[in-house]
Amino acid sequence: MTQSTEESRDAPGPGGFAAEIKDAVSARAALLVLGVLALQLAFAASYLGAFHAPRPSGIRLAVAAPSAPAAEETARQLDGLDGDPLDAHAVSGEAAALREVRTREAEGALIVRSGGGPDRLLVASGAGASLSQALEQVVGLAEESRGRTLQVVDAVPADAGDARGLSSFYLVVGWCVGGYLCAAALAVSAGARPANTARAAIRLGALLVYAAVAGLLGAVIAGPVLGALPGGTAALWGLGTMVVFAVGAITLALQGLAGVVGIGLAILLVVVIGNPSAGGAYAYALLPPFWQAVGPALPPGAGTYAARSLAYFGGHGTTGPLLVLAAWAVGGAAVTLACAAFRGGRPGAPSAAASPRSGSPPERRTQRPARGPGPGRAAAFPTGQ
């Protein structure tokens, strides 16, 4: 009695279930799963490491007083607080202090009054509520120890639709997600590595078009649609285009260097390291040293700082972040083209998606013995000739 076709297909092979597992799970698949686990653990470690114990460090504070010696002395005292929460410096007067806050040269300003009137602390919640609250707490305790009272004034308030000054951060995160997902989609549809420089240039061109559309739609949603951010739509559109293209170019470059693994490397750089260090939930001055150092150099941090500057500070302080984004965009595009040129593909060569994967084993063909015709079946070849 013979088994049915369905039963024979479901039956384990000669080596049993262990052999089936070995055949079903390749070494490459196992390595990819381990890579996903490492990425997940890095995600948790990065966010917890950045956010579990925020502590002010080196918050820039301008100090004005009725006389230059009094301003210098007050700045020296604040600069010497335990733990170095402030980086205080004296300025010529109240107008100079206000100017520094509104141009992002300082995160806050203390105006020392003569006589018995309360001193004034100028903050800017448009730069993030966590920063203004930390300033209020640190300076408030210092003033209390000096026997003085404090009045807090929000010199650059966040818009009513911008809860805790986080809208800029969320907008930039959305742009970053679009950048690496667009590059990943190009890899899925046509192979992780472009076949030649012409194909690489086409991908970069497609990414640029996508970046322009995504930047415009994000700016429109944040501004006219939701009223989450003040300022001009055109400026945010330009910033969004730079953010999306920079992140996408990074992803294309990493794919050119490492294949599909490059998508994971891009997520590691932009999401795992870049997002918690971006100064969104907690400003740079409240983050641990590592995140405080790398945040301004990565696209999420540069984009968040620039978006807040455009929305609340008249564009002051955007030069550095825009240079960072431009460097990532140009560098990513250059590496993408260089990787394609190094592969030595010819124009019109088949893409990686259409060509066999390098290193993959040749297709195995199982030879089956010929069987004679069974009952009710005609012979495969005529006999008796």
Side-chain angles (χ1 to χ4, degrees):
M1 182 176 180
T2 60
Q3 290 181 323
S4 66
T5 304
E6 289 76 9
E7 290 174 338
S8 63
R9 288 176 180 173
D10 293 339
F17 188 69
E20 289 290 335
I21 294 178
K22 184 177 180 181
D23 185 62
V25 181
S26 65
R28 183 185 182 190
L31 289 175
L32 287 174
V33 171
L34 290 176
V36 171
L37 176 62
L39 197 63
Q40 171 191 328
L41 295 177
F43 185 95
S46 181
Y47 278 72
L48 290 173
F51 297 155
H52 79 286
R55 184 181 67 85
S57 174
I59 302 176
R60 293 170 298 176
L61 181 72
V63 179
S67 65
E72 294 283 353
E73 176 61 21
T74 303
R76 186 189 63 78
Q77 293 175 358
L78 293 173
D79 204 38
L81 294 176
D82 292 339
D84 297 322
L86 301 175
D87 178 12
H89 61 278
V91 294
S92 58
E94 184 173 346
L98 180 60
R99 180 186 58 80
E100 288 202 3
V101 173
R102 288 179 173 171
T103 58
R104 308 204 79 175
E105 297 176 54
E107 274 99 15
L110 177 64
I111 313 299
V112 179
R113 297 287 190 182
S114 59
D119 295 340
R120 289 203 304 160
L121 175 65
L122 307 182
V123 298
S125 62
S130 62
L131 183 60
S132 58
Q133 290 171 356
L135 260 178
E136 183 177 350
Q137 181 179 9
V138 172
V139 177
L141 290 174
E143 288 284 277
E144 183 179 348
S145 67
R146 297 169 60 218
R148 301 185 67 87
T149 58
L150 187 66
Q151 177 189 9
V152 180
V153 178
D154 196 343
V156 188
D159 196 72
D162 186 6
R164 295 185 60 80
L166 292 175
S167 295
S168 298
F169 171 63
Y170 292 137
L171 176 60
V172 170
V173 167
W175 280 330
C176 290
V177 169
Y180 66 73
L181 285 184
C182 177
L186 292 173
V188 170
S189 63
R193 295 183 175 99
N196 48 60
T197 53
R199 299 288 179 88
I202 291 171
R203 291 193 186 190
L204 289 168
L207 175 63
L208 180 59
V209 173
Y210 174 86
V213 174
L216 174 61
L217 295 179
V220 170
I221 290 172
V225 175
L226 296 179
L229 282 178
T233 301
L236 283 178
W237 178 13
L239 174 64
T241 302
M242 290 190 67
V243 171
V244 176
F245 185 82
V247 173
I250 294 168
T251 308
L252 288 177
L254 292 174
Q255 288 173 176
L257 293 169
V260 71
V261 176
I263 299 174
L265 295 177
I267 294 174
L268 175 66
L269 181 68
V270 176
V271 178
V272 175
I273 300 176
N275 283 357
S277 64
Y282 292 105
Y284 294 145
L286 303 180
L287 297 175
F290 170 77
W291 287 267
Q292 190 174 138
V294 301
L298 296 177
T304 299
Y305 194 93
R308 283 173 171 163
S309 293
L310 292 173
Y312 295 110
F313 298 91
H316 292 287
T318 57
T319 301
L322 292 180
L323 288 176
V324 168
L325 293 172
W328 282 110
V330 173
V335 172
T336 300
L337 293 170
C339 288
F342 182 77
R343 295 188 67 202
R346 293 176 293 104
S351 65
S355 61
R357 291 179 296 178
S358 60
S360 60
E363 183 181 358
R364 294 180 295 178
R365 299 182 180 274
T366 304
Q367 299 293 333
R368 297 182 179 177
R371 293 183 297 174
R377 290 188 296 178
F381 299 96
T383 58
Q385 296 181 357

